[in-house]
């Protein structure tokens, strides 16, 4: 190996070692421009952004994606790496995709019920005396089947 390659490797290694970790241009450090919350009493009002959406490399504490000395968000337990997972896609897009899938299943079921299913090959049984109301005790709840129920049924 020649001396230029050794010098070049040493310079690259020194540059990598001397490179600072995340600077103050960190997106988490940008403070909100909204009206300050009076309950914070001068504490910086940080934006509502989960630490799970931040890049994984370049932090002093890579486990929690924080630099030492960074102010914590007032809702840190929700926005930290250990909080609830952030959805991988927008909830509105997920709702639209779920609606399309559910309508697809309903359309397939309607297609099978109305078009593919054949009518029964035999005639349905018909009972005399208004569906055997008198023979079953005379109550309306005991009707077996009404003749006109199938003529008006839309199912």
């Amino acid at each position: 190996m020649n001396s230029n390659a050794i010098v070049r490797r040493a310079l690259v290694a020194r540059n990598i070692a001397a490179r600072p970790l995340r600077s103050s241009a960190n997106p988490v450090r940008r403070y909100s421009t909204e009206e300050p919350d009076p309950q914070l009493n001068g504490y910086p009002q940080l934006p509502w952004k989960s630490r799970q959406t931040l890049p994984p490399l370049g932090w002093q504490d890579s486990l929690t994606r924080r630099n030492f000395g960074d102010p914590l968000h007032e809702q840190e337990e929700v926005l930290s790496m250990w909080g609830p997972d952030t959805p991988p896609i927008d909830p509105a897009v997920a709702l639209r995709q779920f609606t399309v899938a559910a309508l697809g299943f309903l359309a397939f079921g309607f297609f099978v019920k109305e078009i593919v299913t054949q009518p029964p090959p035999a005639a349905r049984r018909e009972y005399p005396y208004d569906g055997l109301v008198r023979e079953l005790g005379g109550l309306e709840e005991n009707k077996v089947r009404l003749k006109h129920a199938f003529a008006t049924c839309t199912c």
Side-chain angles (χ1 to χ4, degrees), residues 11-63:
L11 288 175
V12 168
R14 193 179 89 202
N15 189 17
I16 290 174
R19 185 178 59 186
L21 295 173
R22 297 261 176 215
S23 67
S24 62
N26 182 351
V28 176
R29 286 186 178 248
R30 278 190 251 148
Y31 303 130
S32 177
T33 59
E34 299 173 359
E35 184 176 325
D37 187 3
Q39 293 181 349
L40 292 178
N41 195 20
Y43 193 78
Q45 189 168 353
L46 302 173
W48 185 272
K49 184 171 184 178
S50 176
R51 295 234 177 239
Q52 296 172 4
T53 61
L54 298 176
L57 298 177
W59 302 96
Q60 291 174 345
D61 183 5
S62 60
L63 189 63

Side-chain angles (χ1 to χ4, degrees), residues 59-124:
W59 302 96
Q60 291 174 345
D61 183 5
S62 60
L63 189 63
T64 59
R65 296 183 184 170
R66 288 188 69 235
N67 287 331
F68 297 114
D70 281 350
L72 292 176
H73 195 279
E74 61 178 315
Q75 298 291 327
E76 179 66 20
E77 62 275 2
V78 176
L79 297 175
S80 70
M81 288 297 294
W82 312 111
D85 289 338
T86 57
I89 60 173
D90 186 48
V93 174
L95 180 64
R96 184 176 50 223
Q97 290 176 355
F98 176 75
T99 303
V100 167
L103 289 176
F105 281 115
L106 289 174
F108 177 74
F110 181 77
F111 173 75
V112 168
K113 179 181 180 286
E114 295 296 325
I115 297 173
V116 176
T117 306
Q118 298 177 355
R124 293 200 177 264

Side-chain angles (χ1 to χ4, degrees), residues 1 6 8-9 29 39 45-47 50-51 61 72 75 80 102 105 107 123 127 130 132 134 139 144 146 150:
M1 206 183 247
I6 294 172
R8 190 177 311 124
R9 280 190 179 185
R29 286 186 178 248
Q39 293 181 349
Q45 189 168 353
L46 302 173
S50 176
R51 295 234 177 239
D61 183 5
L72 292 176
Q75 298 291 327
S80 70
F105 281 115
Y127 295 99
D130 201 19
L132 298 178
R134 189 174 54 215
L139 297 175
V144 175
L146 294 175
F150 293 106

Side-chain angles (χ1 to χ4, degrees), residues 125-150 152:
R125 179 177 279 181
E126 296 179 4
Y127 295 99
Y129 305 112
D130 201 19
L132 298 178
V133 172
R134 189 174 54 215
E135 285 77 8
L136 292 175
L139 297 175
E140 291 292 321
E141 293 84 23
N142 292 335
K143 284 186 180 181
V144 175
R145 185 174 289 141
L146 294 175
K147 292 180 187 178
H148 59 83
F150 293 106
T152 60

